[in-house]
Amino acid sequence: MSKILVIGEISDGKLNSGTAKVVAAAAQIKGDITVALFGADVSAAAADAAKLDGVTKVLKIESAANANPLAAVYAPQIVELAAGYSHVLFPGTAFGKDTAPRVAARLGVQQVSDIMVAHSPTSFDRPTYAGNAIVTVEAPAAPAIVATVRLASFTAVGSSANAAIESASSSAALPSHTRFVKLEAQKSERPDLQAAARVVSGGRALGSSDAFKIIYSLADKMGAAVGASRAAVDSGYVPNDMQVGQTGKIIAPELYVAAGISGAIQHLAGIKDARTIVAINKDAEAPIFEVADFGLVADLFTAVPELEGKL
Amino acid sequence: MSVETPVERDVMEYDVLIVGAGPSGLAAACKLKQIAAEKGAEISVCVVEKGSEVGAHILSGAVFEPRALNELFPNWKELGAPLNAPVVRDELHLFYSPQKSFKFLNFMIPSPMHNEGNYVISLGNLCRWLAQQAESLGVEIYPGFAAQEVLIDEQNVVRGVQIGDLGVGHDGKPKDGVYAPGMELRAKYTLFSEGCRGHLGKRLIQQYQLESKDAPQHYGIGLKELWEIDPAKHEKGLVVHGAGWPLQAFGTEATGGSFLYHLENNQVVVGLIVDLSYSNPFLSPFDEFQRFKHHPVIAKYLEGGKRLSYGARALVKGGLDALPKLVFPGGALIGDDAGMLNYSKIKGSHTAMKSGMLAAEAVAERLLAGSEGGDVLNGYPEKFKASWLYDELYRSRNFGAVLHKFGALIGGTINWIEQNIFGGKAPWHFRDLKKDHETLKPAAQSQKIVYPKPDGKLSFDKLSSVFLSSTNHEEDQPVHLRLKDPSIPIGRNLPLYDEPAQRYCPAGVYEVVTAATGDKRFQINAQNCVHCKTCDIKDPSQNITWVAPEGNGGPNYPNM
Amino acid sequence: MKALVSVKRVVDYNVRVQVKSDGSGVITEGVKHSMNPFDEIAMEEAVRLKEKGKLTEIVAITIGGAKNEETLRSALAFGADRAIHIKEEGDVQPLTAARAFAAALKKEGAQVFFAGKQAIDDDANQTGQMVAALLDIAQATFASKVELDGGKAVVTREVDAGLETLEVDLPAVITTDLRLNEPRYLKLPDIMKAKKKPIETVTFADLGVEKGAALTISKTSAPPKRSKGIMVKTVDELVSALKSKGLV
C-alpha cells in the first residue's frame, strides 16, 4: 500500500485551503496519508489538518528556521522526512511549485507536475501546452514519486476526521544562502486579472466605455478582477491588457462571470480552466451558454446591477 | 512613396534583395547562389519575409508539378524535399446540386488537369525546405520582418526596401522603450515576390505603369482546410477536383472550383476557389466553402475526421493576357506578385519558381558583367519569352476568360477542346475586360443568400475557423487595413452593396456594428486578418488598402 | 560577473496545438517553433543587467537537436555574447536537463543561472529549481524584480499571497515570471550580427552527465470539452445557485 506524505501549506498561520485538495488527490492514489507542516508554530494549522478526511497522521516540523517557506530550507528536511514514503505530494501553488522540484532533484526523481487524475499509484494525467493536451504518464515507483497537484482538478475533502498530531524534528543541514526579506500583499485595488479567484468580464454588448462601469461595480462588490472580450477591446471600450482569450490572457479563476460576451472560440480558449462560468447574455443562442455552468438569458443592463444588488 | 528619414535607420547593402520567402523568391535566391558558385563569384542575397517564419503565410492547394524543382535541384529526392505523396489518381466532378454530381471519365478530363507525375504537397513545407537549401547555399533569410516601403531614388530607380518599424502604437506614435526603427535594405537589384496582390508590387505596378494593356488582372479567393481523417477512408495521392455547386455550374455570376487532395499521414486538404468576379454582394466565399463540405462526394471523406487548420489566400489568375510588365529600373516582379499562376492547371508553384529562376539568371548575368545595378533587367522578360513557362501560360491564356464568359460547363468544354484538340493553341482568344471590383450588382437587385448553420462537425463558424489559422497581431499597432475614405463603408457601400466586406473577408475582419442608438459603425478587427488581400481586390470602391502590419503578424499556418 | 541563460525551443504560443488522433502526442511537425516566452523574459533580464553593468558576460544555453540552433541565434540577437548547444536529439526531461545545466554552470563558473519559470510545451516548472538543488545553491523562482549587488541578489517573487522578497547569495538560480519585463523586439541588425557570434557544441558525455529517471508518456489526449450547465431564469435563481456552491 502507498504511504503518502502531503506537504501542507500554511497561509497567515492557518492551513491553506489547497491542502485539503492535495489530500483528495492522495485519497485517489489510495494509501496511508500523512500531512507534514513546516513553520515556526504550526499548531493551529495542524489542528485543521488533523480534521481532514483520510488523514491518519499530522507531523509538525517546527523551528525558527522554518518560519518562512523557503524552498532551499524546507527541501533538505522534506528529503529526510520522505524516507519510507512512496509518494510526496505538494499543492500546485507557488509554494509547492517552488519546493517540489528541489526535493525531487535531491531524491534523483523525475517529478510529476500538476496531477489532474491519479489512475493508479504510478499513473497520472497532467496538462501540457497550457491545458491543450493532457498526457497520461507512468512514473517509476522507486525511490518515490514526487508530484504537485493541480488544485482546480480536485474537490477538497471534508473535515470530520481526528488524526494524531505528532512533532518531528530534522537533523538535515540547512543552507544559509537564502534569506527571507519581506512579504507584501498586492496593493492594487482590484485583484490582478491573471491571479484573481474571481473575474467579471464584459463584451461588446456593453456598447461603450462608459457602460463598462456596471462591470467594474459588480467586480468591486465581488472582489473580482475585470476582464473583457476581444470584441470589447477592439471596439476601444477598454484597454488591451484587459483582454481575456487566446491572444490575450489565459485565466483560471474559481468564478468567471461573462456579461454580454457571445463566446467566440478565442475567448473560450482563455477561460477553459475557469472552475465555474456564469454567462449573462441576451442572445439565448450565444455559444457562451454551451460552456457556462450557469446561464441567464437576460439584458445585462438590468441583470448585472440586479446581481450586484443581491450579493 | 517618397523616402523620408525622420529617424536614423540602419542600412545594409546586398547585391540582391528578395521580398517574400515563397516559392518564387526562394527559387530565385537558390538559383543566384548556384550561379555564383558555378562561376566562382560572390553574390550576396538577402530574403525578407513578413511571416513569423518561412511558410507561416504560405497557403496553397497544393498539387505540385516538379518541373521547375527538377531544374533547380535535380537531386531533390536525396536532399529530402517534402514531396511525399505522388498523385495516384485524378477525379473530376461536376457538382450540380447539394447532393448530386457527375463524375467525368478519365478521357473527358482536360489534359492540364491530369496530374500523373505530380505530387500532393504542403507548399508551406516545401518553402521551409527551400529556405533550408537557400541558407545552406549562403542566402540570408530574415522572417518576421515586413518590407514596408520601396526605396526609390531621385532617378526613379528602386534601390531596396525599408523594413517596417517595430513598436509603433495604435495612434501611430512610437511606444516607449520598445520602438525600433525598421532598417533600410539596399540592393543592386530587388526582386518582389510577395505573392498575389503584394502591397509593394501593387504600388510598383502603378508607379511604373506596368499593368497589362491587353486585359485587367483577375483574382480568386481560395479557402482551405487541413483535416486528419479516418485512415480507412484515406487514399494517399488521390486528387479530386470539382466544378459547379455551391457555385454555378451553368451561370457566370459565381464561378470557381473546388479540390480535395489526400496528403500523407491520413491528412487531406479540402478547398474552394471563388472567382472574385462574382456579382451577388450577398455571396460569402467562407459560407460557400463551409456548405460545400457537406456534398456527399466530399463529406464521405471528412465525416469522423478532425479539422486541423484553416486559411484563405487570394490568388491571381489573369494569366498571360493580364501579366504586367515584369521589370522596372532596379528590380523585377516574380511569381504571383507578377501573376504567373496557370489557372487552367490551378497551379502556380512551379511557374512561380521558374519565373524566379529566370529573373535570377538575368540578375546574375548583369552582376557577373560588373553591373552596379539600378538598370532595367531586360534579360528577364527575354528569358521568360523563350522559356517553357511562357509557352505553358500561352496555352492556357483563354481559360479564365471562358469560364467567366460561359460558366463552368460550357467554358470547361471549350477548354477541353482547346487543350485536348489544339494542345492549347486554339485559333481563338477570349478576354475578360471587367475588373473584379466592378462586377458587384447593387444589393437591391440581388437575391439574399441564406446559408445553413454550421453543424460543428463538417462546417464551422468564421471565428472558430480563424482561430485555427493561428493568426495573431500585436494589438497595439496602427490598423493595417487602411481606408482611403472612412465614410465610404457606411455612406456608400452599405446602402449600395450591403457592405460586402462583411462577407468576402474570410477572417471576420470587417463588421458593420449597430449601436443602441441605431447608428451604424464600420468595425475593423485587424487582429483577425489572415493576409489574404481579398479586401484590397474586391472592395467595390477600391477604398481598402492592405499594408504590411508589424513583422511576425498574421497567420501561422502549419502544413498548409 | 557571468550569467548562464537557458533557452528552450518550443511550439510557438500562437500555434493552436493539435493532439494526434492516435494519442501519440501533439502535432509538432511543420508548425512554428520559437523561444519559450518565459525564456525570452530571462534573456531580456540578463541583457538589461548587462546594460546596467551588473553582468559582464551572458552565455545562452540550450539542449536539443540541430533546429535548436535557431533558438540560440535568437538569444544571441537578444544580446547573449556566446552560446552553448548541448546536442541531444531524444526526449530530455527536467531532471536530466538540470543535470546538464548544473554541469555547464559549474564549468563556466557563472554566478547566475537564469531560466523561464516554465516552458510552455511540457509546463513542468521544474528545471531551474532542480539546477539549484543539484548544486545546493540558492533559488529565487517566479521573479518579478531582480537586483544584483556584489555577491548577492535581491529578488521579488510572485507568490500566491502577494510579492515576496528574498536575498540570496550567488551563485543562484533565478526563474522569471511574466511581469518581470517586456522583452524587446529583436532588431534586424542584431539578428545579422548574431549570425557571427560563436556557438559551442557539446554533448551530455562531454559534460559528464547521465540521463536521469524519466516519466513514460503512455497517451496524449485532447482536454475534455466543458459541458453545458444549468440555465437559470432569474437573477435570484442565479444568486442562490452561486451561494449553494459557496462561490459568493
Side-chain angles (χ1 to χ4, degrees), chain B residues 10 12 14 52-53 128 142 145 166-167 178 180 183 228 306 308 467-468 470-472 550 556 558-559, chain C residues 13-16 18-21 27 29-33 67 182 185-189 191-192 195:
Chain B
D10 286 305
M12 208 49 203
Y14 292 91
S52 63
E53 62 161 2
R128 289 179 177 97
Y142 299 107
F145 292 94
L166 300 174
V178 288
M183 204 174 183
E228 186 178 25
K306 183 184 168 199
L308 299 177
F467 184 69
L468 287 182
S470 297
T471 190
N472 190 26
E550 190 168 275
N556 287 282
N559 304 305
Chain C
Y13 74 101
N14 283 314
V15 171
R16 313 292 173 242
Q18 299 277 6
V19 174
K20 291 182 188 169
S21 304
I27 297 174
E29 305 82 17
V31 303
K32 195 200 169 204
H33 285 66
K67 286 185 173 163
E182 190 184 338
Y185 287 99
L186 294 186
K187 298 188 184 89
L188 197 43
I191 294 173
M192 291 173 171
K195 287 192 185 259

Side-chain angles (χ1 to χ4, degrees), chain C:
Chain C
M1 197 188 304
K2 188 195 286 185
L4 200 60
V5 185
S6 75
V7 292
K8 186 176 184 183
R9 178 177 185 268
V10 298
V11 172
D12 187 82
Y13 74 101
N14 283 314
V15 171
R16 313 292 173 242
V17 171
Q18 299 277 6
V19 174
K20 291 182 188 169
S21 304
D22 63 2
S24 64
V26 303
I27 297 174
T28 56
E29 305 82 17
V31 303
K32 195 200 169 204
H33 285 66
S34 56
M35 188 191 293
N36 176 35
F38 289 106
D39 297 344
E40 287 189 351
I41 295 171
M43 267 312 308
E44 175 68 29
E45 195 62 17
V47 172
R48 288 187 188 184
L49 287 165
K50 192 181 170 205
E51 284 166 354
K52 283 184 206 154
K54 302 287 185 186
L55 290 172
T56 50
E57 191 185 14
I58 300 171
V59 183
I61 187 164
T62 196
I63 305 175
K67 286 185 173 163
N68 287 56
E69 190 182 322
E70 282 170 29
T71 314
L72 288 177
R73 290 290 167 207
S74 301
L76 292 166
F78 256 109
D81 298 285
R82 59 191 174 85
I84 301 171
H85 186 172
I86 305 173
K87 273 249 167 94
E88 172 61 39
E89 294 288 346
D91 174 43
V92 178
Q93 294 187 12
L95 181 63
T96 302
R99 286 182 179 166
F101 291 145
L105 189 69
K106 243 179 151 169
K107 190 173 152 214
E108 287 285 333
Q111 291 295 295
V112 192
F113 180 82
F114 276 112
K117 71 165 180 181
Q118 72 193 69
I120 61 166
D121 51 0
D122 64 11
D123 285 331
N125 193 334
Q126 299 174 14
T127 306
Q129 295 90 313
M130 287 183 161
V131 171
L134 294 171
L135 295 171
D136 203 6
I137 59 175
Q139 73 186 43
T141 52
F142 323 141
S144 65
K145 191 177 170 200
V146 176
E147 286 172 78
L148 287 186
D149 199 8
K152 289 184 303 193
V154 177
V155 179
T156 305
R157 307 176 55 227
E158 296 200 19
V159 296
D160 300 333
L163 297 174
E164 182 191 70
T165 307
L166 296 182
E167 183 185 77
V168 296
D169 295 334
L170 302 181
V173 170
I174 297 171
T175 75
T176 53
D177 214 327
L178 211 58
R179 284 174 206 73
L180 179 58
N181 59 48
E182 190 184 338
R184 67 195 59 197
Y185 287 99
L186 294 186
K187 298 188 184 89
L188 197 43
D190 294 332
I191 294 173
M192 291 173 171
K193 277 178 221 149
K195 287 192 185 259
K196 297 181 183 83
K197 290 185 182 175
I199 296 180
E200 178 192 354
T201 303
V202 298
T203 62
F204 281 157
D206 296 336
L207 293 167
V209 169
E210 278 181 34
K211 281 198 164 189
L215 307 178
T216 313
I217 297 174
S218 56
K219 191 180 80 189
T220 304
S221 41
K225 282 204 174 124
R226 284 190 89 102
S227 50
K228 196 177 166 110
I230 306 161
M231 295 303 285
V232 293
K233 295 217 165 50
T234 61
V235 171
D236 289 314
E237 257 185 69
L238 177 60
V239 171
S240 57
L242 293 176
K243 278 189 176 152
S244 72
K245 281 193 87 181
L247 288 160
V248 289

